[in-house]
Amino acid sequence: MDTPSEVLHRVFGYDSFRPGQQEIIDQVVSGGDALVLMPTGGGKSLCYQIPALVRPGVGVVISPLIALMQDQVDALRALGVRAGFLNSTQGFDERQLVEAEFLSGELDLLYLAPERLRVESTMRLLAKGEISVFAIDEAHCVAQWGHDFRPDYLGLSELRERWPEVPRIALTATATPATHAEISSRLGLDQARHFVASFDRPNIHYRITPKAEPKKQLLDFLRTEHPGDSGIVYCLSRSSVEKIAEFLVEHGIAAVPYHAGLDARTRAAHQARFLREDGLIVVATIAFGMGIDKPDVRFVAHLDLPKSLEGYYQETGRAGRDGLPATAWMAYGLQDVVQHRRMAMEGDDAHRRRQVLHLDAMLALCETAGCRRVMLLDYFGQQGSEPCGNCDTCQSPPETWDGTVAAQKVLSAVFRLAKERRQKFGVGQVVDILLGKSTAKVLQHGHDSLSVFGVGTELGSQEWHGVVRQLLAQGLLAVESDYGALVLTEGSGDVLRGQRQVLLRRDTLRPPRTRGSGSG
Ligand code: ADP
Ligand code: ZN
């Protein structure tokens, strides 16, 4: 039997493991479970491919990325690895062939779409072969508290019951502590070792700017900072993808559109050009990018606000995978927020609440006066990093105003609700209380008799929402549940006692009116 390093050299042709890979591979090879959080481009695939080659039997990889399976399998075959896949794009004959290979032990790796496991015949097939490892890729799809939930993933909990002796490795690039915990419980990974690689991408420069004239802003950004570079421009809708791609071409910049409304051949052709050519820009919806491995993407630009920090991190993470300097640039505006809120209204209550919380976290990143990277890392569970010096807020600190009193008002409202009423409420109720609004919900709970009722009329509703988001971004307030209940944090006390000043950003969506200076 080959050792993992021998396989690394001989099959994959690499000299050494990337950080984390060896420990993860050793864990799985020895038969243990693993839960792996590693940023995009960190090298997750080898973590299950090598165990599959070292252990006897076939490695079964569950992946939602059906469109990429053929490419993945082709790439492996080119290295001499016996790989196959089963998904809905295949005809009967092709499927039969792969099944026969699986049964006769002629495969090292079998890629499966998650919905295949719902089909009892697939389960029976798997039971007839020898399985070396189950790899669950994009494992965050099992978490309902996340941005990419796929119901088919819930069926994966059965793997442990049916194959208790086969090691399982779950991998994801986007997990907050809450998602991480949910993955672990839903997949029954309580015996698993957890591996968390650093989420920091120090070579990416983060910059977020208010949206004024988005096309012109984009053009300036591309011309001054990335002339002739490869990159991705993300837009929210198919129609804006088309418009922006045309606009860039009209201005002499090589760009192609990519979205789910284009036919498969056009999409494949544009994707292939992007991978092959230097200096091509893909203007795309979030349909583009999953699993794309192009090391020299020099920038990722967002012309619309992503739905969540998970999405933002995943999309911007496609820049600079070669480790050379790259830019994550975004323009955001109030109209994005309105559009997202409207989209969030679709779906059930729980879905709606989650979307709103994701959006608030996203806005908090946009509006933070502190280091963007610190906030991102904090969100993904890596607390306590130092300001990075490679983001816009580090390099040119934004203008701030002393929001200590405003912060104290918010925090004392949350405090009073908790202390006097033993209640927790979301931002909407807290703001209504500060504004002194006698809404039905305020009256129903008797919140009009709280001492903080009506103490915040100097700001409007939008501004108070902004203050709350910035307090969340600074960790002075936290959201406790997916209901969005606000709770105090360790830092809140210092602010309430007047021992800590709170600086808030001035140039956010709706800056507070300052007396005598017009719109501020
Ligand atoms: P992820 O799935 O985490 O996004 P991949 O597994 O696709 O990342 O790996 C990203 C890139 O890094 C791939 O091109 C892969 O071949 C390369 N890679 C992975 N491990 C190593 C290694 N030990 N040495 C060199 N290159 C590696
Ligand atoms: Zn920074």
Side-chain angles (χ1 to χ4, degrees), residues 32-209:
D33 295 341
L35 174 48
V36 175
L37 269 78
M38 199 186 263
T40 306
K44 285 185 285 301
S45 322
L46 286 189
C47 298
Y48 57 80
Q49 289 166 348
I50 292 183
L53 292 171
V54 170
R55 287 173 60 88
V58 185
V60 175
V61 185
I62 321 294
S63 166
L65 307 178
I66 294 178
L68 298 174
M69 283 183 183
Q70 183 74 59
D71 289 349
Q72 281 169 328
V73 164
D74 289 347
L76 285 166
R77 289 195 170 225
L79 298 172
V81 177
R82 302 171 305 169
F85 66 89
L86 289 175
N87 69 33
S88 53
T89 66
Q90 286 162 312
F92 180 78
D93 290 348
E94 204 182 335
R95 209 142 58 204
Q96 287 252 298
L97 193 68
V98 178
E99 293 185 5
E101 283 176 334
F102 171 79
L103 291 173
S104 59
E106 288 166 49
L107 286 183
D108 302 309
L109 277 158
L110 175 65
Y111 284 78
L112 278 185
E115 66 271 12
R116 287 279 109 207
L117 293 178
R118 291 214 158 170
V119 186
E120 188 48 39
S121 62
T122 311
M123 288 301 216
R124 276 203 305 275
L125 172 79
L126 293 183
K128 283 189 227 150
E130 186 185 11
I131 296 172
S132 55
V133 53
F134 282 111
I136 299 148
D137 206 4
E138 312 287 338
H140 60 276
C141 294
V142 77
Q144 274 166 326
W145 165 250
H147 68 302
D148 206 9
F149 172 62
R150 314 220 175 176
D152 281 327
Y153 262 62
L154 293 178
L156 298 181
S157 58
E158 269 195 44
L159 296 180
R160 173 162 82 162
E161 284 136 43
R162 292 211 184 193
W163 287 272
E165 72 295 349
V166 176
R168 290 168 306 141
I169 172 172
L171 312 105
T172 175
T174 56
T176 61
T179 324
H180 190 172
E182 199 183 337
I183 295 172
S184 179
S185 77
R186 290 212 186 269
L187 296 178
L189 286 170
D190 31 276
Q191 305 288 319
R193 262 187 75 189
H194 292 208
F195 298 89
V196 181
S198 173
F199 275 69
D200 192 10
R201 300 286 311 280
N203 60 315
I204 297 183
H205 166 76
Y206 295 99
R207 176 135 43 98
I208 303 178
T209 184

